[in-house]
Amino acid sequence: MRKVLFATYPMAFHTPGGGEVQLLAYKRYLEAAGLEITLFNPWQPEFLRHDLVHFFSCVGGSSHFCEFVKKLGLPLVVSSSLWITEGTRHEYPMDEIRFQLGLADRVVTNSSMESQTLASVTALPIDRFRVVYNGVDPEFYEPADPTLFRQEFSIHEPFVLNVGNIEPRKNQLRLVEAMKAFPERPLVLIGHTRDPAYLQQILRQGGPQVRFLGPLPHDSAILRSAFAACSLFALPSALETPGLAALEACAQRAALLLTEVGSCREYFEDRAVYVDPFSVKSIQMGIATCLSDCVVPAAPHIEDFRWPEVVRSLSNIYEELVTR
């Protein structure tokens, strides 16, 4: 039985988002496939009891942990979850990111587009990168009852839904501004608050049109019901690679409005409306298109992105490193 140590930066689970959901999904479904997955415990690290280490994220300071792993002689996998282009590289600590990814025996990305852009901006060989697509828990493909959500929160009129951590990258403030063109539609926000000041801006700008519900458990039937109940799922983030919530909304046949920045098109192709996240006008036009009668809700299967299938690729990467 292969033994893999999972680690991430210390604050990751303070306000868990898609990256943390991904980490726990990997653990759950890899264990079901027969691997032993341990979450890193700094009080009992037990590095050498494992065949390899998988580190999640390139948050500043992560390279120190990864460098230590390599000094121990263990194979290292890094999940990047990064979208950096030549035009945005100045916004990132590129020297540290390149150093960390250069330590990795394999860099796991969420799309071929992410692999190609990261290889280009870091000048690392493309054969260091491997694609493991984001996934969806199988229960999200089962039709949910929209009345559960509506009754729980007394939201009975048609509404637009955004699921994601409250932070500037998720771009809820511009979404709020765009929604003012549709005053009859509530905007429902679900997620942890990573930036309290940003949340206050959103609530001031949105007024009574905005309903902020805070986080819902990822395995909650109410969350699945929210995807089923909404008129539109809107995720016009500054970037996405591609966003687990969008996949989950798609599985529930929600109409999709997504950012054009990142790798969403590789997953959703023509099953979504794509917008410029930095243009309120673009977001408004996208909302209008999605809410028009001519838009068919997204098909439930872009491909079969169920986690049990997805993690096979990751298991193969581990096996490749352990047996080489």
Side-chain angles (χ1 to χ4, degrees):
M1 177 186 293
R2 299 302 183 196
K3 299 178 180 179
V4 183
L5 182 64
F6 276 14
T8 187
Y9 64 99
M11 299 76 69
F13 281 86
H14 176 64
T15 51
E20 291 68 49
V21 171
Q22 180 192 72
L23 185 158
L24 294 178
Y26 282 172
K27 181 178 187 297
R28 175 183 175 187
Y29 293 106
L30 287 170
E31 288 176 337
L35 282 72
E36 181 180 325
I37 309 296
T38 304
L39 300 180
F40 177 71
N41 178 355
W43 308 112
Q44 292 180 303
E46 297 185 318
F47 287 101
L48 299 179
R49 194 178 70 80
H50 298 87
D51 297 306
L52 61 87
V53 176
H54 188 159
F55 190 87
F56 293 77
S57 182
C58 293
V59 166
S62 298
S63 61
H64 301 297
F65 184 97
C66 294
E67 186 176 23
F68 182 79
V69 169
K70 292 309 299 176
K71 287 179 178 178
L72 292 177
L74 287 168
L76 173 66
V77 174
V78 172
S79 280
S80 54
S81 295
L82 282 173
W83 187 262
I84 305 174
T85 66
E86 290 297 336
T88 61
R89 61 181 299 154
H90 66 280
E91 301 173 6
Y92 296 85
M94 288 305 302
D95 289 342
E96 182 176 3
I97 289 171
R98 188 185 189 285
F99 178 66
Q100 181 187 355
L101 299 184
L103 290 168
D105 296 281
R106 293 291 180 267
V107 178
V108 170
T109 66
N110 295 326
S111 68
S112 296
M113 295 169 68
E114 184 183 343
S115 290
Q116 292 160 8
T117 57
L118 274 181
S120 175
V121 299
T122 60
L124 291 171
I126 191 65
D127 60 6
R128 185 183 300 267
F129 296 81
R130 296 288 187 277
V131 176
V132 177
Y133 284 107
N134 267 329
V136 179
D137 286 313
E139 52 264 34
F140 278 93
Y141 286 96
E142 300 169 5
D145 180 359
T147 62
L148 293 177
F149 178 81
R150 293 189 178 280
Q151 291 175 355
E152 178 75 15
F153 295 102
S154 298
I155 300 174
H156 302 292
E157 62 269 58
F159 66 92
V160 173
L161 176 66
N162 173 276
V163 177
N165 284 326
I166 306 300
E167 58 181 330
R169 183 176 74 81
K170 292 295 184 178
N171 205 33
Q172 287 99 343
L173 188 57
R174 285 194 183 92
L175 176 59
V176 166
E177 293 171 358
M179 284 294 298
K180 288 186 177 299
F182 311 90
E184 74 286 355
R185 301 257 179 178
L187 172 61
V188 176
L189 305 179
I190 296 174
H192 291 274
T193 302
R194 282 190 172 167
D195 189 328
Y198 187 64
L199 174 61
Q200 291 308 309
Q201 281 184 281
I202 289 167
L203 296 178
R204 284 195 301 270
Q205 183 76 6
Q209 187 180 15
V210 172
R211 292 284 305 274
F212 173 58
L213 306 182
L216 291 177
H218 184 254
D219 59 356
S220 166
I222 300 294
L223 178 60
R224 296 194 296 276
S225 175
F227 289 129
C230 69
S231 300
L232 167 65
F233 176 80
L235 195 68
S237 309
L239 61 90
E240 285 292 350
T241 67
L244 290 179
L247 284 169
E248 293 160 357
C250 184
Q252 285 294 321
R253 300 188 65 84
L256 302 176
L257 180 143
L258 304 176
T259 179
E260 65 183 12
V261 180
S263 60
C264 290
R265 288 183 187 273
E266 187 168 328
Y267 284 73
F268 300 99
E269 299 176 342
D270 61 353
R271 294 173 175 86
V273 171
Y274 300 95
V275 298
D276 176 356
F278 305 106
S279 166
V280 172
K281 184 64 175 178
S282 176
I283 298 171
Q284 280 181 349
M285 293 173 62
I287 294 171
T289 299
C290 289
L291 295 179
S292 68
D293 293 336
C294 63
V295 175
V296 178
H301 299 279
I302 311 163
E303 291 178 26
D304 194 346
F305 287 117
R306 299 169 191 254
W307 281 120
E309 301 299 321
V310 167
V311 298
R312 291 181 183 177
S313 299
L314 187 58
S315 181
N316 290 339
I317 293 168
Y318 295 160
E319 195 64 23
E320 172 191 356
L321 293 178
V322 171
T323 59
R324 67 177 180 175

